[in-house]
Amino acid sequence: SRPRCEGVVLARALIAAGGVDLTVTVVTDAQAALFMPSISAVVIGADAIDGHGVVNKVGSYLLALAAKAQRVPVYALATSSKLRATPSDLLSPDDDGTGSGGSNCLHFSEEKEAEEVTVMWPAGDDGGLTVRNVYFERTPPELITAIVTEDGVESFSQLMEAGALAARRQAY
């Protein structure tokens, strides 16, 4: 993830950990659809999981859409502490800050400085340009094959079944 290179850090940690036959290839978000036919699964993190989907860094939703188009499974990895019975405080299911009532919504507190994006731009007049630097987005449940926690692998619907999520949360 930009700008702090979390994907590269994770890839290096996976390789260093060893013990598993794992091939890690890092590509930019813009290349994800191009490489989709050559991979067996997409793995994303989760800053929160609630009944509206998986909240993770921007790019996860587009990655999941590309995976669905190529019939590649998408797994969200998280500790059980990331499970929420109510919508995540990172994203609201009702308000995207534009008044549109969109379902992939953000709080403005999760929008960071434009300079993180523009720091490498060539010098020039940026008058009239607006730069958005949103960190989180929600990937809807229908794009997630399964959720992987320390307790195992479950489909999104199994995890969200009546009372299952609340019971799991009480354990943590």
Side-chain angles (χ1 to χ4, degrees), residues 69-131:
Q70 297 290 324
R71 294 183 176 88
V72 174
V74 177
Y75 298 95
L77 274 59
T79 61
S80 292
S81 65
K82 304 289 178 101
L83 302 175
R84 309 251 196 279
T86 57
S88 166
D89 56 353
L90 292 173
L91 296 175
S92 164
D94 302 320
D95 178 22
D96 64 3
T98 66
S100 68
S103 63
N104 194 5
C105 309
L106 64 117
H107 285 178
F108 287 115
S109 64
E110 296 305 326
E111 187 158 358
K112 304 297 183 180
E113 300 78 25
E115 290 75 26
E116 285 185 347
V117 175
T118 63
V119 67
M120 298 300 292
W121 286 12
D125 181 10
D126 291 337
L129 289 177
T130 300
V131 176

Side-chain angles (χ1 to χ4, degrees), residues 126-150:
D126 291 337
L129 289 177
T130 300
V131 176
R132 302 292 303 266
N133 187 18
V134 178
Y135 268 39
F136 297 99
E137 66 186 352
R138 185 183 311 280
T139 301
E142 60 270 15
L143 297 178
I144 304 296
T145 305
I147 307 294
V148 181
T149 70
E150 67 276 11

Side-chain angles (χ1 to χ4, degrees), residues 9 40 47 54 109:
V9 172
S40 55
D47 289 86
V54 173
S109 64

